[in-house]
Amino acid sequence: MLDEQRLNQIRQMEQTLNDATELMAKIEQLQEEWKNQQPHIQALLDYYFQGDWRADYEAFDNGNIPQGMSCGVLSEDAVFNLISDQQRLSIEAIKLAVKALER
């Protein structure tokens, strides 16, 4: 029979395998969701940079949008922050993928 230290190591490695397998499934699901969201994000960017965002922003500023209507998209920073977050996460994902592939 293996000594207790080796048995503990097997238990720890089993837990690591289970945790990592679960994590990979979550990442795969999130990647699919992110991929499926890209056309919607592109539509948002088009609205913000080339569409009616500025006119809608001014309409909000002038009180021409119903009070209580959710319109966080009209804040000056929300879309920019989304773009920045997506770029940052994309770079981090590439770096992590490179490290995983270098093993």
Side-chain angles (χ1 to χ4, degrees):
M1 170 91 62
L2 288 177
D3 64 33
E4 195 57 34
Q5 181 179 358
R6 294 277 301 279
L7 293 174
N8 282 336
Q9 179 178 328
I10 292 169
R11 287 183 192 102
Q12 288 173 348
M13 294 302 105
E14 180 70 14
Q15 187 62 52
T16 297
L17 174 63
N18 292 339
D19 292 347
T21 300
E22 184 179 322
L23 177 61
M24 291 304 118
K26 288 178 186 176
I27 290 171
E28 188 172 22
Q29 178 184 354
L30 288 172
Q31 282 180 323
E32 188 65 23
E33 290 178 31
W34 193 4
K35 181 177 81 174
N36 292 337
Q37 190 64 30
Q38 289 308 302
H40 303 288
I41 292 172
Q42 186 58 53
L44 175 62
L45 297 180
D46 292 346
Y47 167 73
Y48 186 74
F49 288 112
Q50 300 151 351
D52 294 325
W53 182 87
R54 176 60 62 191
D56 292 346
Y57 174 80
E58 290 172 5
F60 176 79
D61 230 20
N62 293 328
N64 295 325
I65 293 180
Q67 193 169 16
M69 179 177 165
S70 180
C71 49
V73 71
L74 299 179
S75 75
E76 294 194 57
D77 295 329
V79 176
F80 180 80
N81 290 344
L82 174 69
I83 295 165
S84 297
D85 289 345
Q86 181 167 254
Q87 288 175 339
R88 177 183 52 79
L89 289 170
S90 296
I91 290 168
E92 288 176 15
I94 290 168
K95 289 178 179 179
L96 183 58
V98 168
K99 282 183 183 179
L101 291 170
E102 289 178 338
R103 291 190 189 115

